[in-house]
Each structure stands twice: as C-alpha cells, then as structure tokens.
C-alpha cells in the first residue's frame, strides 16, 4: 500500500503535464490491445515448419501446404483474402491474378498497420512532453529563488520533483510504445513474407497445371 501511495504522490507532483501524458498512455495502450487482437484473429497463418519440410521432401503436395485450411478462417483473415483470389483463377489470366494478389497484399499491409502511425508519434511526443514538464518545473523552482537567496525550499523541491517526474513518465511511455511499435512492425513484415511465399507456391502450382494441361491437349 505504501508503494502505491508513493507512486500516486510522485505522479501528483508531476503537475499539469501528467494529464496529457496520461492521454498518450491510454492511446498507446488502446492501440496495443487492438493490434494484438487483430494479429491474433486475422494474421495467424496455419501450418508449421514441419509441414513445409514435408512439402520439400515430396511427402505432401504443394496445394496441401499452400492451402492451410483457408475455409475455416474468418473472411477478413489475411490468407482468406489471398486464397479467395487464388481460388478464382480458372477463367482469369495469370498476370491478372498476380496483379490482384499484389493489390490485396497492399491492402492487408495497410489494414494491419492501422494505428501504428499514432504509436510511432507517441514514441516521439511522450519524451518531448515530459521535457516540457521538466522545463516548466525548473522555471517554477527558479522563480522561487529571489535576489536574497532561497525563499521557499518546499516550493523549490516541489518544482524539481515536477521536472523529474514528468521526464520519467514521458520516457516510460515512449519506451513501452517503442517496443510495441517495433514488435508489430516485425509481425507485419513476417506476415507479408509468409503471404508472398504461400502465394508464390500456389501460383507456381497453377502455372504448372496450366502448362501440363496445354501440353496434354496438344495432338
């Protein structure tokens, strides 16, 4: 209990700058929870490394590996959106299918990145806002120092406390937001690499089946 009381007192000593910092903290937390749910719900590609190794050794076909239960995934799932294009290729030229996949991949990347720009802004804004609180706190302390010396020791220490607390809160928020931003950015890169790999394998199968069918149709 004493620890929480000390934290509350330290935060209250931060002055008015604690309120905008709190808003930034709430915004960052909201974005992190939202993106965590989105990636968990719409970005998990079924399949593992062993399945890929089986495909390489010929134990399973390319279609089995590159078609990871898309029918059981949500309609907004990243792979479902790609699979819907790949499944509708019978009467579509291959170049058109590839163009549609590129467009869908760009839309998926945009959807997965939604809100990350704000998280990146918080990484920069939180320390600057904390620095502003530091400057205000130090100015408050200097105003209490008159020409004859120290006028109010309690007031000066309060101003210094405000300066230190504002800086500390801003740095903590920025660090958490930075780790979250880098994590989600890395997840997006991995997702796009996985989609590209799976799509290329399916396109290769489609191209091979068409070439084989054309060769079989020749007299």
């Amino acid at each position: 209990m004493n620890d929480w009381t000390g934290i509350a007192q330290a935060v209250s000593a931060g002055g008015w700058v604690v309120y905008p910092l709190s808003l930034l903290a709430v915004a960052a937390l909201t974005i992190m929870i939202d993106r965590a749910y989105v990636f968990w719900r719409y970005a998990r590609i079924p399949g593992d490394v062993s399945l890929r190794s089986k495909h390489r050794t010929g134990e399973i076909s390319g279609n089995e590996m590159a078609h990871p239960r898309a029918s059981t995934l949500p309609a907004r799932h990243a792979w479902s959106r790609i699979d819907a294009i790949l499944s509708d290729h019978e009467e579509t030229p291959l170049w058109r299918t590839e163009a549609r996949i590129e467009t869908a991949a760009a839309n998926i990347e945009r959807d997965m990145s939604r809100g990350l720009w704000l998280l990146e802004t918080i990484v920069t804004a939180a320390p600057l806002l904390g620095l502003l609180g530091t400057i205000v706190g130090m100015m408050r302390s200097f105003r209490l120092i008159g020409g004859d010396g120290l006028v109010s020791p309690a007031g000066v220490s309060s101003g210094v406390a405000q300066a230190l607390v504002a800086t500390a809160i801003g740095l903590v928020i920025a660090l958490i937001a930075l780790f979250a931003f880098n994590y989600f950015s890395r997840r997006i890169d991995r997702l796009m690499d996985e989609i590209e790999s799976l799509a290329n394998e399916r396109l290769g199968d489609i191209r091979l089946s068409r070439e084989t069918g054309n060769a079989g149709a020749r007299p």
Side-chain angles (χ1 to χ4, degrees), residues 134-150:
T134 299
I135 295 174
V136 172
M138 297 305 296
M139 291 174 60
R140 174 184 174 188
S141 298
F142 291 147
R143 280 201 305 265
L144 296 176
I145 300 177
D148 297 331
L150 199 61

Side-chain angles (χ1 to χ4, degrees), residues 1-14:
M1 182 62 69
N2 291 333
D3 292 339
W4 288 109
T5 303
I7 294 175
Q9 290 176 349
V11 171
S12 63

